[in-house]
Amino acid sequence: MTTKQLQQVLPMTEEEIAMEISILKAAVPKFQSKRPTEVEIAACRRIKNGIKQFLNALPSDQRCLFTTSGERVGSKKSQASNKAKQTRKKTRKYEQINLALEHDSPVDFVCVLDFEATCNSGGPAPRPQEIIEFPSLMLDVRSRSVISTFHHYIKPHVHPRLSDFCTELTGITQSTVDSGISLFQALVLHQEWLDNLGIVSALEKQVGVNPKKPTFLYLTCGDWDLKICLPRQLDYHNHQKVPRHFKGWINIKQAYRNVYGKKAGGMTSMLTHLGLDLEGRHHSGIDDCRNISRICARMLEDGWVPGRKLNFDKDSNVNATHLESVNPNIVNPKFANTGSICFSGGADGADILFDELATKHGHAIVHYGFRGMKSRTVFHTLAPEELQEADEPVRRASMFLRRKNPRKPYVRNLIKRNYFQVRAAERVYAVTRWNLKQGGDGLQTVEGQLGGGTGWAVAMAVILGVPEIFLYAIEKGKWYRYDYDGCRWEVVENTLVPRPEGRYAGIGSRHLGMQGEAVLRALYSQTS
């Protein structure tokens, strides 16, 4: 907009507008690593707020005259343009995720990385938040031992003086960073370190770079290091691109949950749960790397397989940068003897509640799914050949239920997922809203009675001969147990339904309601 146009919009004189514009023109560009002054920021905000107030006061049919496209706000063309922008934004946001998802082979090494950066006590963090410690440990997956260490302190450029809080938190003094190297020198030395080890990133190997060399993936405690810290700092300094091998990583917190079925609060809580002591100083980058490596070694010992991909759906809250998955075996060796594992499907409603209650009572939890399945939780992705294994059980279940096999591939895969939920279970718990027909002393057979995915899962459990199958009919307000001798459902008292233990499957309706939720919580709370 010209000065004359601004004068028509803003309640300011021409001289005042000219002064504001002169302040903004004199501002130092961002790429010169200079933060705008408070005067410059205030001038920009005054002009922005004035224009915003002017536009909000206009009728919607006139507001389009001031848009860059000239289209009426809310028109079809405008909506299509906004949708395209959102798509491009999501594409950029998940660029590193798509790269990571192409990889599907176990890696030979994991590179444990934990940056330390400038920080303040309370209030916003410095802009940009600069890396001041760059540590990495290369962990051999097979021997579960650290084979090499990389460690350098980095001298901050934009905010060279460390705050007292930063020194107290990390133990890094001002003299340490003053004698450090630049971030760009550290990146060069880090690449040389990788080259000397003869190891190549799994993300680079997939495009044909040194295909015969051993592979590695980065491992961090959270996503901040490689998703936020490094990209933002490189972008601030002359818009540098993030090296390809930093665009995919394993989040140990998600890997930890996959292996142990327990949410990881942080590094110290994971150490405590595994019975390991904290070694060194917390928030010292190199000490944190050593402690994270010890957690990795224990997870590898307990059956974790790093480098396998997890399914990702961008409409869910699953973080696709997690390339790890549960052990491909049905039951992780860690829980083979404890017998406390719940198999479920990761859907809303009963599955999510089973997840919550099983985790609360110290049970492992494995959700089964397939690529492209929508879910709000992490699940083990079934390969296409595994899904084919369920073809025959699903065919038999369709005859048992007197239903046709769904035509849509997505729905068929949901039903096949149910087969894996009940296949390894010794006991099945199902909670459904369907009103079963009464017949004789109990309920009629399952044929034609149970609907939805719950019906398919229960039918396949019956076909597989799962020893105990319990079903709660919400509309009836009763528990039932399947009687194999009479091929019928029998009513059982609530107190006779055993608490979920051992290898059990938890399935049910997506819409439990208050009654269904209360029944499940009471089931886990009762004594054995």
Side-chain angles (χ1 to χ4, degrees):
M1 300 177 74
T2 65
T3 304
K4 192 168 289 187
Q5 290 174 326
L6 283 173
Q7 189 177 5
Q8 296 174 355
V9 172
L10 302 177
M12 302 168 65
T13 64
E14 187 173 352
E15 291 77 13
E16 289 174 335
I17 293 175
M19 184 179 297
E20 300 283 15
I21 293 176
S22 64
I23 292 174
L24 297 179
K25 286 184 177 180
V28 179
K30 178 182 176 182
F31 64 81
Q32 293 185 10
S33 304
K34 300 290 184 180
R35 182 179 177 179
T37 65
E38 296 300 328
V39 175
E40 295 165 355
I41 294 175
C44 183
R45 284 176 178 170
R46 282 193 295 270
I47 292 179
K48 180 180 177 181
N49 292 335
I51 295 175
K52 188 175 180 180
Q53 292 174 4
F54 172 77
L55 291 177
N56 289 338
L58 289 176
S60 59
D61 58 340
Q62 296 181 23
R63 199 178 304 167
C64 65
L65 300 176
F66 293 87
T67 61
T68 55
S69 63
E71 291 295 326
R72 187 185 302 276
V73 175
S75 66
K76 292 183 178 180
K77 185 174 180 180
S78 176
Q79 291 174 355
S81 177
N82 290 337
K83 188 174 182 180
K85 289 179 181 178
Q86 292 175 2
T87 303
R88 289 195 298 271
K89 185 176 180 181
K90 288 181 178 180
T91 303
R92 290 194 299 269
K93 181 178 179 181
Y94 297 112
E95 178 183 359
Q96 74 276 12
I97 292 171
N98 294 331
L99 291 171
L101 285 175
E102 297 170 13
H103 177 68
D104 192 26
S105 300
V107 293
D108 304 291
F109 300 90
V110 289
C111 184
V112 182
L113 182 147
D114 190 79
F115 293 138
E116 298 299 329
T118 53
C119 53
N120 296 325
S121 177
R127 296 191 306 173
Q129 199 169 5
E130 298 175 274
I131 297 170
I132 56 176
E133 186 179 5
F134 194 140
S136 295
L137 300 181
M138 192 63 70
L139 181 73
D140 189 325
V141 170
R142 290 168 180 80
S143 66
R144 303 193 291 275
S145 60
V146 176
I147 64 167
S148 185
T149 301
F150 176 89
H151 186 216
H152 279 284
Y153 290 102
I154 311 300
K155 183 177 181 178
H157 176 66
V158 181
H159 305 286
R161 301 296 300 177
L162 300 183
S163 65
D164 294 338
F165 172 78
C166 185
T167 299
E168 181 181 351
L169 179 68
T170 64
I172 302 173
T173 62
Q174 186 64 47
S175 60
T176 301
V177 295
D178 287 342
S179 59
I181 61 177
S182 70
L183 175 61
F184 301 102
Q185 289 175 315
L187 290 173
V188 172
L189 293 175
H190 192 266
Q191 184 60 54
E192 292 179 358
W193 175 65
L194 294 175
D195 294 340
N196 292 335
L197 290 174
I199 302 174
V200 64
S201 168
L203 300 180
E204 294 176 326
K205 188 171 182 177
Q206 69 185 16
V207 293
V209 179
N210 299 318
K212 295 183 180 180
K213 286 189 175 183
T215 57
F216 80 93
L217 279 172
Y218 288 102
L219 183 142
T220 59
C221 189
D223 295 324
W224 173 83
D225 302 84
L226 295 179
K227 185 177 182 179
I228 298 175
C229 182
L230 182 62
R232 284 186 180 178
Q233 188 171 352
L234 291 179
D235 182 67
Y236 191 92
H237 294 290
N238 298 325
H239 305 285
Q240 296 288 331
K241 290 185 177 181
V242 178
R244 182 183 178 88
H245 56 86
F246 283 115
K247 292 186 177 182
W249 62 92
I250 299 169
N251 185 338
I252 192 174
K253 293 182 180 180
Q254 285 292 339
Y256 181 89
R257 177 172 178 173
N258 290 341
V259 175
Y260 300 112
K262 178 181 177 65
K263 184 177 179 180
M267 184 189 74
T268 54
S269 65
M270 287 187 283
L271 288 170
T272 302
H273 178 248
L274 296 177
L276 303 174
D277 295 328
L278 175 67
E279 294 183 357
R281 181 192 183 106
H282 190 23
H283 293 301
S284 163
I286 189 64
D287 288 343
D288 285 353
C289 282
R290 293 187 180 116
N291 284 302
I292 294 170
S293 297
R294 293 166 60 220
I295 297 172
C296 284
R298 176 64 66 84
M299 289 168 55
L300 289 166
E301 182 181 344
D302 292 338
W304 175 49
V305 182
R308 295 187 183 275
K309 62 182 178 180
L310 266 181
N311 185 66
F312 172 74
D313 185 273
K314 63 184 180 182
D315 294 327
S316 72
N317 64 353
V318 179
N319 194 321
T321 56
H322 311 141
L323 304 183
E324 74 293 332
S325 182
V326 294
N327 191 298
N329 298 323
I330 288 297
V331 180
N332 192 291
K334 176 70 177 177
F335 303 99
N337 297 323
T338 61
S340 54
I341 183 167
C342 173
F343 301 101
S344 194
D348 290 342
D351 290 358
I352 296 297
L353 186 56
F354 271 111
D355 183 322
E356 175 192 333
L357 296 173
T359 302
K360 180 179 178 181
H361 288 77
H363 299 179
I365 180 87
V366 175
H367 292 295
Y368 286 103
F370 51 90
R371 183 157 192 173
M373 189 184 84
K374 297 180 180 180
S375 174
R376 293 194 295 114
T377 187
V378 177
F379 55 82
H380 171 63
T381 305
L382 295 166
E385 56 270 20
E386 291 178 295
L387 291 171
Q388 289 179 2
E389 179 187 335
D391 286 342
E392 180 59 21
V394 170
R395 185 190 66 81
R396 293 176 60 189
S398 67
M399 297 174 62
F400 190 79
L401 294 169
R402 298 175 183 174
R403 295 185 201 165
K404 292 182 179 180
N405 203 339
R407 293 182 179 181
K408 295 182 178 180
Y410 184 85
V411 180
R412 285 203 304 270
N413 286 339
L414 286 176
I415 294 173
K416 292 178 182 180
R417 172 208 61 178
N418 293 337
Y419 163 72
F420 288 92
Q421 292 176 229
V422 301
R423 184 181 70 168
E426 299 167 343
R427 189 182 292 163
V428 171
Y429 296 91
V431 180
T432 179
R433 298 195 62 87
W434 293 96
N435 189 3
L436 306 183
K437 295 180 181 179
Q438 188 70 29
D441 296 331
L443 293 177
Q444 294 178 352
T445 61
V446 75
E447 298 175 356
Q449 304 298 324
L450 287 172
T454 304
W456 287 95
V458 170
M460 285 186 279
V462 172
I463 292 170
L464 293 171
V466 176
E468 293 182 294
I469 305 175
F470 295 94
L471 182 142
Y472 184 82
I474 296 177
E475 302 298 336
K476 291 286 185 180
K478 296 179 182 179
W479 277 103
Y480 300 88
R481 178 174 55 197
Y482 190 75
D483 177 21
Y484 282 96
D485 293 333
C487 296
R488 61 191 307 119
W489 294 93
E490 295 182 341
V491 179
V492 293
E493 296 293 333
N494 293 0
T495 56
L496 297 180
V497 180
R499 185 177 64 184
E501 290 178 340
R503 302 180 186 180
Y504 63 95
I507 56 180
S509 173
R510 291 175 179 265
H511 307 287
L512 290 176
M514 295 178 63
Q515 182 181 350
E517 181 176 341
V519 166
L520 276 184
R521 293 189 184 279
L523 179 65
Y524 274 89
S525 300
Q526 69 185 22
T527 57
S528 299

